Amino acid sequence: MLEIDGLTARYGRAQILNGVSLTLGDNEVVALLGRNGAGKSTTMKSVMGLVRQTGGSIRHGGQEIRGRASHTICRAGIGYVPEDRRIFGELTVEENLEVGRRPAREGAPQWTTEHLFQLFPNLAERRRNLGKQLSGGEQQMLTIARTLMGNPSLVLLDEPSEGIAPVIVEQMANVISELKREGLSVLISEQNLHFAREVSDRAYIIEKGTMRYEGKFSDLDANPEISTKYLAV
Amino acid sequence: MGFYLAQLLTGLANASSLFLIASGLSIIFGVTRIVNFAHGSFYMLGAYLAYTLVTTLQGGIPGYWFSVLAAAVLVGGIGLVVELTILRRIYRAPELFQLVATFGVVLIVQDATLAIWGAEDLLGPRAPGLDRAVRLMGEPIPEYDLALIAIGPAVLAAIWLVFHRTRWGVLVRAATQDREMVGALGVNQAWLFSAAFVLGSALAGLGGALQIPREAVSLQMDLSIIGEAFVVVVIGGMGSVTGAFVAAVLISVLNAFAILIFPQVSIVLPFVVMAAVLIVRPYGLFGRPGSEHGGAEEPEQPLRLLDQRSTMVLLALVAMLAFSPAVVSDFTTILLVDVMVATLFAVSLHFMMGIGGMVSFGHAAYFGVGAYAAAMAVKMLGWGMLPAMALGPVAAALAALFFGWFCVRLSGVYLAMLTMAAAQILWGVTFQWQEVTGGDDGILGVWPAEWAKSDRVYFYLALVLCLGGIWLLRRVAHSPFGYTLRGVRDSRIRAEAIGIDTRFHQWMGFTLAGTLAGLAGVVFVFSKGSVFPDALSIGHSIDGLIMVLLGGIHALAGPVYGAMAMVLIEDWVSRLDYWRFIFGGIILTVVLLAPDGIAGGVRRLIQLVRRDAA
Ligand SMILES: Nc1ncnc2c1ncn2[C@@H]1O[C@H](COP(=O)(O)OP(=O)(O)O)[C@@H](O)[C@H]1O
Ligand SMILES: [Mg+2]
């Protein structure tokens, strides 16, 4: 589904990614773990074509997508949920969903507003409210729903559990399971090991723009020194 | 009572015209972030096209309205061409480059219009069916004004419907907030930008077309409207169409009554209102801070101190300059003084923009204040040349201290607009205060002292002053103050976190830049012997911007190249017919071929040559 190989990227003069490699299989949920500033968001933005990548390759369904414009990457079936949500605050919930709407694509589940309102009942009640009037948790739901309106086959979820109430985190975990059941692949970046373990099949650990670990959660639990070294704050 | 009603209705009719052009400008800025100086040109083209259509069709009421709409559509088409051929190629360049490119378009449209329609003002026919006046409370009110009063809100409603009831409109509103995110959601921004640009241009064209029964169609329409249109957009909040409407009404109605009390107020009133609004609401009445995401600009690269070789080259150049009067003609000597004045002016603006991170659309104000202060000291106080030369920069410093205090409270485009407002206010005062400044006639006969009368001596005096000023700015740029200023430019939040008073530093940077612009003004006034309000005009401020940006903002040498190129090109082309067309073409060529300016272009050329040689 997604193969990243030797990816390097920079902001201005600062090199942030020093050769990141990662693969994600069909219908797999994979966690990208790492401390604050490790390069998780930059990896996701690179896939979306939102930062300047300087080298390496990003292949999606066998096709090289590195260097393409971000709207074509989205149209290829990659949905992106940014960590800072980036809701359109002056648009209503329904209008936010409208911005994300894309035609149906083969090989990916098709979402409708009604279906998404079932998945996120809070949003249904607030469909005519402006984005900026929503709570943090509701905004997080809305960004995910907005991305799903594009009928992606792969979703990049950047820290979905960050800064929201525990009840909602639980709801978020259910949503991710639902996405997997629908046949989507998900790459999820997390600092919250507990949440990541609950929803994902495998994990990568990134530190200072370099991959340090790849494997199952069971191995990670068997070797606690790894998480202490790269994840503990 | 009836008189005041008539005044109010005139104000509202003006508001409608102003709204049409400002709404288009606001939409274009909101979506593309382009400060479109060519918007006034679209307005002017709308008027000329409507004039031609109306007078050739002669079709009565339907003919008139068809012509108006057709002119708007045609201008939308011209907007599309400009967007596709020029702007689309430079969306990734720093925002100010696009501004310079749109200014190139202004120049080209000016001369194209002159070539097609001639220099004479054209008097359009009245609107058929609306060519009389009705009496309201005993006062005659033109029917056409009443029609305009209705058209403004109707267009507002139409835009509102498009923005809220169509998918395209929803995308435009979303892009106004966070265009990068809209792209990540699969929307091709290029087409969104084109469409917004076309709609905006068509609205400007409509505004111009509707103007033909009210005013003569002339070549001055473009720049005369653009300042006011910017003001309306800024007061309303950039990107907000409703804001543009409210601001247009506010300005026009205030103006309609203010001129009863103080007839000269028209020129400065919009700018005073804008300054007042921005100080209370830094993003305008309906505006919001834009998203930080998706800025195209690369973080500034650190300035390097000159290495030994470049220092030698520089010294050699200065030496050549110093010896040049011995070899070249007097005419060239005078031209070289122009180059030095322009260079100091550009370097001072570069200091403010490149080092201080404050873009100015009104830097000429301080140049002009310096020039006028010196001229007035000579003419009215009978001072000698040297004391007058000392007074100029001091006066410029005081003006920069005063206006800078307001400006540094804002940032980005809003700061730039406030600098423009300040300059416009000063220009208005100079222009209108006949008894003191000579108004339009300027101040004449400001010649150097007896000992400095010869072109050569004055050349050396100018050399010392301009090089001294440039040297001072360079020293400051590499002093702790300069580094702090750059820190503030790169991250205000970080600078504040470590306890730097960011506003104070910017205020001092602003003042220093203004002072040295004033010095340039002083050297200028004694070399020309006269000064006119032009010295403070928006046009002159834009010259400064063009020099800095064409030279390249990332390099300290940039403004030097820019100023040299500007003066030499201007000297060469301004003797030709249609020089604006040529000059605009040169600007566009540089912008399209070297988006990092002449300095960047030269650097890349050298690299290319070296690689070939290796
Ligand atoms: N816009 C930016 N400009 C410059 N540096 C940035 C920018 N965004 C992030 N960085 C830097 O890149 C590094 C990685 O950041 P990020 O990918 O956001 O990490 P994570 O998502 O793992 O917390 C950090 O050191 C951060 O300071
Ligand atoms: Mg992150």
Side-chain angles (χ1 to χ4, degrees):
Chain A
M1 176 58 55
L2 183 72
E3 295 164 59
I4 304 177
D5 192 28
L7 180 69
T8 54
R10 63 188 181 98
Y11 289 112
R13 294 205 148 178
Q15 175 100 9
I16 305 292
L17 299 183
N18 315 301
V20 166
S21 301
L22 171 159
T23 56
L24 181 75
D26 279 350
N27 200 13
E28 201 182 16
V29 179
V30 167
L32 179 59
L33 305 172
R35 286 197 193 100
N36 215 349
K40 305 181 295 295
S41 301
T42 307
T43 305
M44 293 196 164
K45 286 184 194 163
S46 302
V47 174
M48 270 335 271
L50 299 177
V51 294
R52 180 187 299 199
Q53 314 105 5
T54 46
S57 85
I58 306 172
R59 299 169 76 77
H60 172 244
Q63 293 254 341
E64 179 65 51
I65 57 167
R66 187 171 80 81
R68 288 220 235 148
S70 65
H71 71 273
T72 61
I73 294 171
C74 170
R75 289 175 185 185
I78 303 182
Y80 169 57
V81 180
E83 65 184 325
D84 40 1
R85 301 182 189 126
R86 295 169 74 167
I87 287 298
F88 304 113
E90 304 299 322
L91 270 57
T92 64
V93 167
E94 278 180 335
E95 286 172 335
N96 267 279
L97 295 179
E98 174 63 26
V99 177
R101 185 167 63 80
R102 307 279 338 148
R105 280 178 335 98
E106 226 173 289
Q110 194 189 343
W111 301 84
T112 60
T113 321
E114 286 319 308
H115 186 175
L116 286 167
F117 281 152
Q118 276 165 22
L119 196 60
F120 303 104
N122 305 32
L123 292 184
E125 289 164 28
R126 315 211 54 177
R127 59 172 76 193
R128 300 213 193 288
N129 285 96
L130 293 183
K132 65 181 178 190
Q133 296 165 331
L134 304 187
S135 70
E138 286 166 337
Q139 289 193 350
Q140 187 65 58
M141 308 262 168
L142 180 55
T143 44
I144 297 178
R146 184 179 67 179
T147 298
L148 291 176
M149 285 298 284
N151 307 317
S153 46
L154 160 65
V155 177
L156 311 173
L157 270 179
D158 200 352
E159 301 213 30
S161 76
E162 191 195 9
I164 53 178
V167 209
I168 316 226
V169 174
E170 210 39 57
Q171 228 173 315
M172 203 62 71
N174 292 335
V175 168
I176 295 169
S177 314
E178 170 73 16
L179 297 186
K180 185 171 161 79
R181 216 172 306 129
E182 291 275 356
L184 292 179
S185 313
V186 182
L187 179 65
I188 163 172
S189 99
E190 265 307 328
Q191 298 191 51
N192 179 343
L193 189 59
H194 172 73
F195 177 75
R197 186 190 289 109
E198 191 178 337
V199 296
S200 25
D201 307 317
R202 281 191 302 131
Y204 285 87
I205 296 181
I206 185 173
E207 195 223 9
K208 294 202 184 121
T210 313
M211 279 306 178
R212 302 292 185 182
Y213 174 84
E214 168 189 1
K216 292 204 160 44
F217 277 94
S218 49
D219 297 339
L220 203 53
D221 293 336
N223 300 291
E225 73 281 358
I226 299 176
S227 12
T228 326
K229 187 164 175 201
Y230 297 124
L231 298 179
V233 274
Chain B
M1 200 54 225
F3 173 70
Y4 292 108
L5 178 72
Q7 223 37 43
L8 175 69
L9 291 177
T10 311
L12 289 175
N14 289 338
S16 279
S17 313
L18 200 50
F19 163 69
L20 288 179
I21 171 164
S23 62
L25 193 59
S26 200
I27 291 170
I28 290 175
F29 177 83
V31 178
T32 66
R33 290 287 180 274
I34 288 182
V35 177
N36 180 25
F37 269 95
H39 209 67
S41 308
F42 294 149
Y43 169 82
M44 179 172 79
L45 284 173
Y48 273 101
L49 286 167
Y51 172 87
T52 300
L53 286 166
V54 170
T55 46
T56 44
L57 284 179
Q58 298 282 4
I61 296 177
Y64 177 82
W65 293 103
F66 171 82
S67 304
V68 166
L69 288 179
V73 170
L74 286 173
V75 173
I78 296 170
L80 181 65
V81 172
V82 169
E83 204 277 340
L84 289 180
T85 54
I86 301 164
L87 299 175
R88 180 167 288 196
R89 294 157 186 272
I90 51 172
Y91 277 122
R92 295 200 156 261
E95 282 168 9
L96 283 166
F97 250 80
Q98 296 146 6
L99 181 149
V100 170
T102 64
F103 198 70
V105 174
V106 170
L107 295 175
I108 290 176
V109 170
Q110 277 256 331
D111 270 355
T113 313
L114 174 65
I116 298 171
W117 282 283
E120 293 284 307
D121 288 5
L122 304 175
L123 274 179
R126 299 218 174 156
L130 293 169
D131 46 4
R132 275 169 305 181
V134 290
R135 289 213 165 255
L136 285 178
M137 298 174 80
E139 291 285 330
I141 312 284
E143 286 172 342
Y144 193 70
D145 277 10
L146 295 177
L148 276 184
I149 293 174
I151 289 172
V155 170
L156 175 63
I159 296 176
W160 192 91
L161 281 176
V162 169
F163 277 14
H164 287 82
R165 294 284 178 271
T166 68
R167 172 172 167 82
W168 182 78
V170 171
L171 294 180
V172 165
R173 282 161 57 223
T176 301
Q177 265 181 48
D178 187 345
R179 52 189 171 142
E180 189 189 64
M181 192 63 222
V182 172
L185 288 167
V187 177
N188 185 351
Q189 293 181 54
W191 287 112
L192 204 57
F193 285 13
S194 304
F197 205 83
V198 169
L199 175 65
S201 322
L203 284 168
L206 181 64
L210 285 171
Q211 224 30 28
I212 53 170
R214 305 184 84 214
E215 62 172 308
V217 183
S218 78
L219 289 168
Q220 281 79 50
M221 286 178 87
D222 55 353
L223 289 182
S224 67
I225 195 81
I226 192 73
E228 215 171 328
F230 272 132
V231 166
V232 167
V233 171
V234 168
I235 292 178
M238 300 195 76
S240 166
V241 176
T242 317
F245 185 79
V246 173
V249 170
L250 181 73
I251 290 278
S252 304
V253 172
L254 264 180
N255 189 51
F257 289 104
I259 51 171
L260 299 179
I261 306 163
F262 189 49
Q264 287 96 345
V265 82
S266 282
I267 294 185
V268 295
L269 180 88
F271 295 93
V272 174
V273 175
M274 167 166 126
V277 168
L278 283 187
I279 287 159
V280 184
R281 292 189 61 98
Y283 296 101
L285 296 175
F286 291 76
R288 289 172 195 84
S291 146
E292 295 299 316
H293 294 290
E297 224 152 333
E298 281 252 297
E300 279 280 337
Q301 306 187 344
L303 291 173
R304 282 179 305 266
L305 281 166
L306 285 180
D307 60 30
Q308 237 173 356
R309 223 182 50 194
S310 337
T311 316
M312 307 271 280
V313 171
L314 196 74
L315 285 178
L317 272 177
V318 171
M320 258 165 62
L321 195 62
F323 286 112
S324 62
V327 256
V328 301
S329 67
D330 282 356
F331 177 76
T332 314
T333 309
I334 295 172
L335 192 63
L336 284 174
V337 172
D338 288 354
V339 170
M340 293 189 293
V341 166
T343 306
L344 178 58
F345 180 51
V347 170
S348 71
L349 180 58
H350 178 267
F351 180 83
M352 178 151 160
M353 290 169 53
I355 314 284
M358 297 172 282
V359 175
S360 174
F361 291 173
H363 201 53
Y366 310 102
F367 180 95
V369 167
Y372 265 97
M376 281 166 15
V378 169
K379 281 279 146 188
M380 298 167 67
L381 306 176
W383 288 20
M385 178 184 76
L386 287 180
M389 278 189 155
L391 179 70
V394 172
L398 291 177
L401 211 55
F402 177 75
F403 287 110
W405 188 85
F406 296 99
C407 293
V408 299
R409 258 132 253 276
L410 307 178
S411 59
V413 188
Y414 289 91
L415 187 155
M417 290 294 169
L418 197 54
T419 59
M420 184 173 92
Q424 251 343 66
I425 291 169
L426 284 169
W427 176 82
V429 170
T430 324
F431 192 79
Q432 304 234 340
W433 202 6
Q434 192 92 31
E435 310 83 70
V436 178
T437 62
D440 209 7
D441 301 328
I443 301 179
L444 307 175
V446 190
W447 295 110
E450 206 52 53
W451 59 270
K453 264 233 151 54
S454 96
D455 286 340
R456 278 196 200 163
V457 175
Y458 195 74
F459 170 88
Y460 285 110
L461 184 62
L463 184 76
V464 168
L465 290 176
C466 292
L467 279 185
I470 294 168
W471 174 82
L472 179 71
L473 282 172
R474 284 197 54 108
R475 279 305 296 259
V476 173
H478 289 292
S479 73
F481 174 76
Y483 287 111
T484 311
L485 210 50
R486 250 172 282 161
V488 173
R489 171 200 73 194
D490 291 339
S491 173
R492 176 177 218 119
I493 299 167
R494 216 178 309 151
E496 262 159 20
I498 56 174
I500 293 172
D501 185 345
T502 56
R503 266 188 197 163
F504 182 78
H505 277 81
Q506 288 197 315
W507 188 29
M508 289 303 114
F510 190 109
T511 305
L512 181 64
T515 309
L516 286 146
L519 181 61
V522 162
V523 177
F524 165 84
V525 70
F526 284 102
S527 85
K528 298 286 175 222
S530 57
V531 58
F532 301 95
D534 271 5
L536 298 89
S537 66
I538 294 185
H540 190 216
S541 293
I542 292 175
D543 284 352
L545 277 173
I546 292 177
M547 291 189 278
V548 170
L549 293 166
L550 288 192
I553 193 154
H554 293 285
L556 277 181
V560 181
Y561 289 124
M564 276 185 337
M566 179 93 173
V567 172
L568 298 179
I569 292 172
E570 233 176 22
D571 177 66
W572 166 58
V573 298
S574 58
R575 285 179 246 156
L576 310 172
D577 288 342
Y578 298 115
W579 66 271
R580 289 190 192 84
F581 196 94
I582 300 170
F583 193 46
I586 293 174
I587 291 178
L588 290 184
T589 312
V590 174
V591 166
L592 291 177
L593 294 184
D596 42 0
I598 298 176
V602 168
R603 203 180 319 123
R604 269 184 293 131
L605 203 67
I606 292 173
Q607 278 168 4
L608 210 68
V609 171
R610 278 204 192 138
R611 205 175 312 141
D612 281 353

